[in-house]
Amino acid sequence: MPGPEQSPQPTNPQPPNFTGMPGGGPSNNVSGSLLIALIVVCALLMQFSLHKVEEGNVAVYYRGGALLQTIASPGYHFMMPFITSTKAVQVTTQTDEVKDIPCGTSGGVMIYFDRIEVVNRLKSDSVLSVVRDFSADYDKPLIFDKVHHEVNQFCSTQNLHSVYIDLFDQIDENLKIALQKDLIQVAPGLDIVGVRVTKPKIPEAIRRNYELMEAERTKLLIATEKQKVIEKEAETERKRAIIEAQKQAEVANITYSQRIMEKDSQRKMSVIEDSTNLARSRSQADAEYYAAKMSALSNKLKLTPEYLELFKYRSIMSNVKLYFGPSIPDYIANNIGDSKELFKDPLPIDLTDIGNIPDLSTEV
């Protein structure tokens, strides 16, 4: 009977001998692995320890959940990996958009502000205090939640018409003042630059009513402006009439003054002419008086008795007629014999009256 088969005995394989190869051996393999592992570890440490801070931001550091008292400016920085974390905080002007803000008016109407934009800026020297009190996401409790609170406070005391029309232009300024007032107390260093509020959304039926009211108000404004234009035109026409009347009155006054001046000038010229004529007449009268006086004195000196006697005979001789013929005696006897007046004094002048002529030189 055949016996059981004998299984072949396994033989242990012998490792290859690398002693004869250059650079071989177990010690060299271990050194290479350690070097590679060290390079990988250094790369990982470098990856997790080196970080970059962008311009306009600063970095705050946490170690074990605690905020460190160190902030980093923009650039590359190192930190302890795995146990230290970092977070960027913006220190330039930024805009936070708060959306879909409900607003319940005092009349019970619910409206919504689609978007309110808050422009703010955190100062670099206040980053640690603000982050310590409100975390790196400080804008949520300080701006987002505060905007909701202030808007609801405002709407709860106003009716729909005041919120939608009358006081809408004051909401942004009032909201800015309220936010900044609270931030000065709880987070100094965070400044509110500006607030922009969009028109709230109101129920459609109410919106249509407001559109109708606005249309009627526009018509009223147009009518009012037209009335103002008519009144202004009437006022302009009245002022034009007043100016025209004043101009005519001034022209009439100037014409009247001119005529008065002309009459006064004529009167003065007449007085001057009268004075000139009077002086001329007086000079002429004085000259005639003087000539008459001189003529009288000349005659008084000239008409002596002898001269008069001579003049007498000359006159007689100038009247003598010569008659020729045989009947001269008869003619004389008949025509001249009885006419004795022919032989009288032909110049019956009383010379004694010449001296009695009055002196007119003193009479004017």
Side-chain angles (χ1 to χ4, degrees):
M1 184 175 177
E5 291 184 1
Q6 297 293 326
S7 61
Q9 294 296 326
T11 59
N12 293 327
Q14 295 298 325
N17 186 8
F18 296 99
T19 56
M21 297 176 63
S27 59
N28 289 336
N29 293 334
V30 173
S31 299
S33 300
L34 290 176
L35 180 61
I36 293 173
L38 182 62
I39 293 174
V40 171
V41 170
C42 291
L44 291 175
L45 291 176
M46 183 69 69
Q47 175 69 25
F48 288 102
S49 63
L50 182 65
H51 64 283
K52 183 177 68 172
V53 180
E54 298 289 345
E55 186 66 38
N57 296 268
V58 295
V60 294
Y61 297 95
Y62 295 89
R63 182 174 298 167
L67 179 66
L68 301 181
Q69 299 296 320
T70 303
I71 60 175
S73 58
Y76 284 99
H77 301 273
F78 288 96
M79 66 179 180
M80 296 182 64
F82 305 114
I83 62 174
T84 303
S85 61
T86 183
K87 201 158 192 179
V89 179
Q90 186 175 349
V91 292
T92 56
T93 302
Q94 61 177 339
T95 301
D96 293 327
E97 292 186 358
V98 187
K99 298 181 178 180
D100 296 330
I101 307 166
C103 175
T105 64
S106 60
V109 180
M110 182 63 69
I111 61 177
Y112 291 88
F113 287 92
D114 184 56
R115 184 177 68 256
I116 296 179
E117 297 177 353
V118 181
V119 183
N120 60 90
R121 180 178 182 272
L122 178 61
K123 296 180 180 178
S124 300
D125 53 359
S126 302
V127 170
L128 286 177
S129 61
V130 172
V131 172
R132 181 182 300 110
D133 294 337
F134 303 99
S135 77
D137 298 325
Y138 61 88
D139 49 357
K140 184 181 185 307
L142 295 179
I143 295 179
F144 286 83
D145 296 344
K146 190 63 179 175
V147 167
H148 279 270
H149 174 71
E150 292 295 335
V151 168
N152 281 277
Q153 285 288 104
F154 170 75
C155 292
S156 63
T157 58
Q158 305 293 335
N159 56 33
L160 177 61
H161 190 273
S162 298
V163 175
Y164 193 68
I165 294 180
D166 293 341
L167 302 180
F168 176 74
D169 59 339
Q170 304 176 16
I171 294 178
D172 50 358
E173 189 65 27
N174 292 336
L175 185 57
K176 175 185 175 182
I177 294 173
L179 291 175
Q180 189 64 66
K181 182 179 179 181
D182 289 343
L183 291 177
I184 290 175
Q185 297 177 357
V186 298
L190 180 57
D191 298 330
I192 303 298
V193 179
V195 176
R196 295 187 292 269
V197 181
T198 59
K199 200 72 171 177
K201 295 180 180 179
I202 62 175
E204 186 65 23
I206 299 176
R207 187 184 64 81
R208 286 196 298 267
N209 291 335
Y210 272 108
E211 290 178 354
L212 293 176
M213 291 174 56
E214 193 66 24
E216 295 297 329
R217 183 176 299 174
T218 303
K219 292 180 182 179
L220 178 61
L221 290 176
I222 292 174
T224 304
E225 292 299 324
K226 185 176 181 180
Q227 182 179 359
K228 289 182 180 180
V229 170
I230 295 174
E231 292 177 355
K232 196 67 177 179
E233 290 178 352
E235 181 69 17
T236 303
E237 189 65 27
R238 186 180 67 85
K239 289 183 179 180
R240 185 183 295 111
I242 292 174
I243 293 173
E244 187 67 24
Q246 290 177 350
K247 183 181 72 173
Q248 293 179 359
E250 291 176 357
V251 171
N253 188 21
I254 294 173
T255 304
Y256 176 73
S257 300
Q258 184 178 2
R259 290 180 180 177
I260 290 178
M261 293 176 63
E262 289 178 356
K263 294 296 182 182
D264 187 64
S265 300
Q266 292 178 359
R267 181 184 62 81
K268 291 181 180 179
M269 293 176 62
S270 179
V271 170
I272 295 173
E273 290 179 357
D274 293 342
S275 300
T276 304
N277 292 333
L278 178 61
R280 185 183 296 110
S281 299
R282 182 177 295 175
S283 299
Q284 185 176 358
D286 291 342
E288 291 178 356
Y289 165 74
Y290 182 77
K293 183 177 180 181
M294 291 298 101
S295 178
L297 291 176
S298 177
N299 290 333
K300 182 177 180 180
L301 295 175
K302 180 179 179 180
L303 299 177
T304 59
E306 291 81 4
Y307 179 78
L308 294 175
E309 185 70 19
L310 177 61
F311 187 77
K312 170 182 175 181
Y313 288 111
R314 285 181 178 175
S315 299
I316 292 173
M317 290 302 295
S318 62
N319 292 325
V320 173
K321 297 181 180 180
L322 298 177
Y323 297 92
F324 298 94
S327 299
I328 293 175
D330 293 336
Y331 179 80
I332 293 174
N334 294 330
N335 295 286
I336 306 177
D338 296 334
S339 300
K340 298 180 178 181
E341 291 81 2
L342 294 175
F343 299 96
K344 293 182 180 181
D345 190 359
L347 296 173
I349 300 174
D350 188 0
L351 298 177
T352 59
D353 293 337
I354 295 176
N356 296 329
I357 297 174
D359 188 2
L360 301 178
S361 62
T362 60
E363 296 181 3
V364 179

